[in-house]
């Protein structure tokens, strides 16, 4: 349940400028037998229309990448990124990665402080890429990876219908059916999990980012998504200091597990210490208060983690794609207004 939110996600794509691909089927390979397509000529000096047309804007990035305009893209990489990979290495890898792709579809736009992380996938879902772009258009990080999918379980939903476990508007930080939009997807027990935060003006906090109280989500009510019986409660773990040390020994932190009549189990995690209001054996109704959003467990900032499984055990069950009562096809980047909103 490692939760890479603002600072950790930024570190992986901005500071390190990760580039990975599938030239040999292994992420990180920088070899390819394919020849890169020819670089497109740059616009003549003074020709403003052509200069504008050569700009790699977020809405044109995937199209230009697929068209083989690798030289233009490379020119907009940050200097730090260029130190990680040469122009020729990038062009060879990109050309190899594009083989067999007819189009890329934009999956999500994720605010990262003043920058935005864009994620695309090929039409068949077998390849994906993310790019972090700053307001001036500089490409700070690029990741291209082969994507593993699980179509058999992707197409199966919970037999029960569930409400969002909150009221008001929340932002989907992790959620979807590939690892670029939902890192949980790599783990069967959490494959269809969601992490939600509250954003205002693209930020999840105001004030000192090292204090939990600065985060909009901290202390917000977490509500039962459906009727059921409480079968597990942890309530005494400390909240982490944001952007500091997490608690991997207790990945779910303070958490609640609800057993539903249909044999499905809801897990809600990372509650604030001593905020859980229910006990093992309690019967709850959809919308009942469970506790308050916190930052306990393997969490880097206050947020709500929610998934439904066929088992109450985090490491033994199989996550099931949630059939929400409203707006069921939720993915990273979506703003969701809780079904339980007043």
């Amino acid at each position: 349940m490692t939760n890479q939110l603002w600072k950790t996600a930024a570190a992986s794509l901005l500071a390190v400028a990760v580039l990975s691909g599938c030239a040999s089927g292994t992420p990180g390979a920088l070899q390819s037998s394919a020849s890169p397509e020819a670089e497109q000529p740059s616009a003549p000096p003074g020709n403003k229309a052509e200069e504008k047309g050569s700009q790699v804007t977020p809405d044109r990035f995937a199209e230009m990448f697929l068209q083989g305009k690798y030289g233009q893209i490379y020119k907009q990489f940050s200097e730090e990124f260029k130190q990680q990979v040469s122009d020729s290495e990038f062009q060879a890898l990109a050309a190899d990665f594009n083989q067999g792709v007819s189009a890329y579809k934009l999956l999500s736009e994720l605010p990262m402080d003043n920058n935005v992380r864009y994620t695309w996938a090929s039409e068949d879902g077998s390849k994906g890429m993310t790019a972090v772009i700053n307001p001036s258009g500089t490409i700070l990080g690029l990741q291209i990876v082969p994507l593993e999918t699980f179509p058999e379980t992707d197409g199966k939903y919970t037999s029960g219908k569930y409400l969002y476990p909150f009221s008001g508007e929340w932002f989907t930080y992790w959620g979807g059916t590939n690892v670029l939009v939902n890192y949980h997807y790599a783990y069967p027990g959490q494959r269809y999990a969601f992490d939600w935060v509250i954003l205002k003006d693209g930020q999840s906090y105001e004030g000192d980012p090292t204090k939990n109280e600065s985060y909009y989500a901290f202390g917000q009510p977490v509500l039962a998504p459906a009727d059921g019986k409480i079968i597990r409660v942890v309530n005494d773990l400390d909240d982490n200091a944001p952007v500091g040390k997490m608690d991997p020994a207790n990945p779910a932190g303070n958490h609640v597990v609800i057993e539903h009549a249909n044999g499905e189990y809801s897990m809600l995690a990372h509650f604030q210490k001593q905020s859980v209001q229910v006990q093992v054996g309690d019967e709850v109704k959809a919308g009942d208060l469970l506790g308050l959003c916190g930052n306990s467990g393997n969490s880097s900032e206050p947020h709500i983690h929610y998934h439904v499984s066929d088992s109450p055990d985090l490491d033994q069950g199989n996550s099931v794609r949630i059939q929400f009562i409203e707006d069921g096809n939720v993915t990273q980047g979506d703003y969701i207004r809780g079904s339980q909103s007043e």
Side-chain angles (χ1 to χ4, degrees), residues 164 166 168-172 196 327 330 334-339:
Y164 298 114
F166 48 76
E169 186 177 75
W170 290 65
F171 179 80
T172 307
W196 284 296
D327 304 322
V330 183
D334 289 343
Y335 286 89
I336 301 299
R337 179 160 290 277
S339 305

Side-chain angles (χ1 to χ4, degrees), residues 3-335:
N3 185 51
Q4 298 176 340
L5 291 178
W6 270 228
K7 300 301 182 294
T8 50
S12 67
L13 279 175
L14 301 182
V16 182
V18 174
L19 175 69
S20 57
C22 62
S24 61
T26 304
L30 285 174
Q31 308 96 308
S32 174
S33 59
S35 299
E37 296 182 34
E39 178 182 341
Q40 299 298 311
S42 58
N47 190 330
K48 298 300 182 182
E50 289 190 28
E51 287 179 8
K52 183 177 180 180
S54 67
Q55 178 75 13
V56 184
T57 56
D59 62 321
R60 300 183 63 217
F61 180 90
E63 177 186 3
M64 295 179 72
F65 184 86
L66 187 59
Q67 291 175 348
K69 297 181 180 179
Y70 310 130
Q72 291 172 242
I73 293 172
Y74 191 83
K75 289 177 182 178
Q76 286 183 220
F77 285 166
S78 67
E79 290 305 315
E80 185 175 23
F81 194 109
K82 290 177 180 177
Q83 292 176 9
Q84 304 295 318
V85 59
S86 70
D87 190 352
S88 61
E89 288 174 328
F90 168 67
Q91 293 205 35
L93 178 59
D96 186 55
F97 188 80
N98 270 332
Q99 290 184 19
V101 178
S102 57
Y104 290 103
K105 177 183 178 181
L106 179 66
L107 299 182
S108 70
E109 300 180 27
L110 188 67
M112 296 177 66
D113 290 326
N114 294 321
N115 310 307
V116 179
R117 175 182 182 264
Y118 299 88
T119 300
W120 300 266
S122 59
E123 285 189 325
D124 65 358
S126 66
K127 299 178 181 181
M129 58 183 177
T130 65
V132 178
I133 302 177
N134 72 12
S136 66
T138 301
I139 301 168
L140 304 176
L142 176 64
Q143 183 181 25
I144 55 178
V145 295
L147 296 176
E148 184 178 14
T149 59
F150 300 90
E152 290 186 4
T153 55
D154 288 353
K156 294 181 180 179
Y157 288 79
T158 54
S159 61
K161 292 185 178 181
Y162 298 85
L163 297 172
Y164 298 114
F166 48 76
S167 61
E169 186 177 75
W170 290 65
F171 179 80
T172 307
Y173 193 88
W174 292 117
T177 55
N178 70 63
V179 294
L180 292 181
V181 295
N182 188 7
Y183 85 94
H184 304 98
Y185 191 75
Y187 309 99
Q190 305 176 57
R191 180 154 291 148
Y192 303 106
F194 293 93
D195 284 346
W196 284 296
V197 299
I198 295 177
L199 289 188
K200 296 181 181 180
D201 298 323
Q203 297 282 355
S204 61
Y205 65 91
E206 182 178 29
D208 186 348
T210 67
K211 295 182 178 180
N212 283 310
E213 292 76 12
S214 298
Y215 290 79
Y216 303 119
F218 190 70
Q220 291 298 310
V222 181
L223 310 176
D227 299 354
K229 181 179 180 180
I230 304 298
I231 64 168
R232 183 177 299 152
V233 171
V234 174
N235 196 26
D236 59 356
L237 296 173
D238 291 335
D239 289 282
N240 305 314
V243 203
K245 186 177 180 180
M246 298 187 288
D247 185 6
N250 299 286
N254 300 313
H255 65 278
V256 172
V257 177
I258 306 173
E259 180 180 22
H260 304 291
N262 55 17
E264 296 172 341
Y265 299 84
S266 285
M267 172 175 275
L268 300 105
H270 308 308
F271 286 85
Q272 184 178 334
K273 183 179 182 179
Q274 299 296 344
S275 76
V276 177
Q277 302 296 304
V278 295
Q279 298 179 353
V280 172
D282 287 353
E283 297 284 346
V284 295
K285 296 291 185 181
D288 285 353
L289 176 66
L290 299 177
L292 304 180
C293 178
N295 190 29
S296 58
N298 210 30
S299 171
S300 60
E301 76 169 72
H303 72 285
I304 295 174
H305 170 103
Y306 176 46
H307 73 265
V308 174
S309 176
D310 60 8
S311 167
D313 296 319
L314 178 64
D315 297 324
Q316 297 181 14
N318 293 295
S319 178
V320 185
R321 198 168 180 187
I322 302 173
Q323 182 181 193
F324 289 110
I325 292 176
E326 298 179 7
D327 304 322
N329 191 23
V330 183
T331 192
Q332 182 185 74
D334 289 343
Y335 286 89

